[in-house]
Amino acid sequence: MNVSIVGAGSIGVAFAVVFSRSGCRVALCDPDAGRREAAGDELWQCLEGLQAFQLLDEEPAAVAARVGITGSLEGAVRDAELVQECAPERLDLKQELFQRLAQAAPAGAILASSSSALPVSQYAPQGDARRRCLVAHPGNPPYLIPVIELVPAPFTSPDVLQRAAVLYRACGLAPVHVRKEVEGFVFNRLQGAVLREAYCLVRDQVADVEDIDTVMRSGLGLRWSFMGPFETVDLNTRGGIVSHAAKMGPAYARMGAERGQNDPWTPELVAAVEAQRRAQLPLEQWGERVRWRDEMLMGLRRLRKAEPDATA
Ligand SMILES: NC(=O)C1=CN([C@@H]2O[C@H](COP(=O)(O)OP(=O)(O)OC[C@H]3O[C@@H](n4cnc5c(N)ncnc54)[C@H](O)[C@@H]3O)[C@@H](O)[C@H]2O)C=CC1
Ligand SMILES: O=C(O)[C@@H](O)C(=O)[C@H](O)[C@@H](O)CO
């Protein structure tokens, strides 16, 4: 597959790793000569690092040979089947770039933005090309963090969304479908919720930065590295998430009110979440899944003990 990457910064180079190690031919473009120069070195260092951890199936040289770096956007996208836009998070720039991409890329190319928070309907061009536009937002770095949020606009073709999911999955990523265009999508709204509270806790001198990071690194983050927030609390409480909501819902509502939030876990909302959780895990399998959780944590603890700077 021919992939073009627009912008050779942190994410552009990271995507060059993702696509080239999957066998794609990659055209990476950037108007900044310094970035073009640095990108080649960064790509090579990353590939060598992945090989050192047995995370690369080929020699770095063979993978790197699939990546061409250019200063010409039009030249880079000429044969593209997928364009991954990785330019700065500026609305005006993305509007300009998507206009150019609509003109320069082949008529069937998927035009995907890596944007962290800007829905594509704010910068997709007018005309048919807009049906080929969506956000494909990665976690950083995408060669190690597989989730990629596919955020179509209302006008994005369902076929394009489906093709994009197949392409990203074939490149080792884990696409999720964000069904409504909201700023920050899911990944950064969840990350933002934690960051907003963490900043408040520092502001209010409840805890310092290091201790808050330790609560995440040696607490929540351990569980969240293999379970999501819903599964985590579902397994925390006998009776599952409906029991958790009954026990903890009022306290979380009070904490939210402190921050000016009034989004109660209504019985209908809890029932909807419960139904989705029970469809994933029947309650009779709850004990077995708790044992699975503990085994995952035991493995993590053993792995962490091997870390040079293992902390408690
Ligand atoms: N850094 C991160 O952790 C993540 C960033 N993103 C998103 O990815 C996009 C890129 O972010 P970064 O890689 O961090 O930015 P960056 O600042 O590291 O790289 C941006 C690159 O775009 C280039 N550029 C500027 N104008 C351009 C143009 N007209 N055409 C082509 N390239 C141009 C710059 O020279 C630079 O190399 C942003 O939308 C960002 O929100 C998404 C997920 C994670
Ligand atoms: O946090 C990430 O990996 C991504 O979701 C991001 O979008 C970036 O961190 C963003 O928040 C800042 O560039």
Side-chain angles (χ1 to χ4, degrees), residues 140-179:
N140 186 4
Y143 49 81
L144 293 174
I145 294 182
V147 73
I148 187 161
E149 297 181 296
L150 301 188
V151 192
F155 48 71
T156 303
S157 154
D159 169 63
V160 164
L161 176 63
Q162 175 62 20
R163 278 173 50 212
V166 169
L167 292 179
Y168 288 114
R169 200 172 286 115
C171 292
L173 297 178
V176 298
H177 179 193
V178 179
R179 299 175 188 278

Side-chain angles (χ1 to χ4, degrees), residues 6-11 30-32 35 86-89 93-94 97 114-116 137-138 140:
V6 177
S10 306
I11 286 304
D30 200 304
D32 182 312
R35 279 307 315 153
C86 301
E89 189 76 346
L93 178 56
K94 291 190 188 302
L97 285 171
S114 303
S115 176
S116 296
H137 170 246
N140 186 4

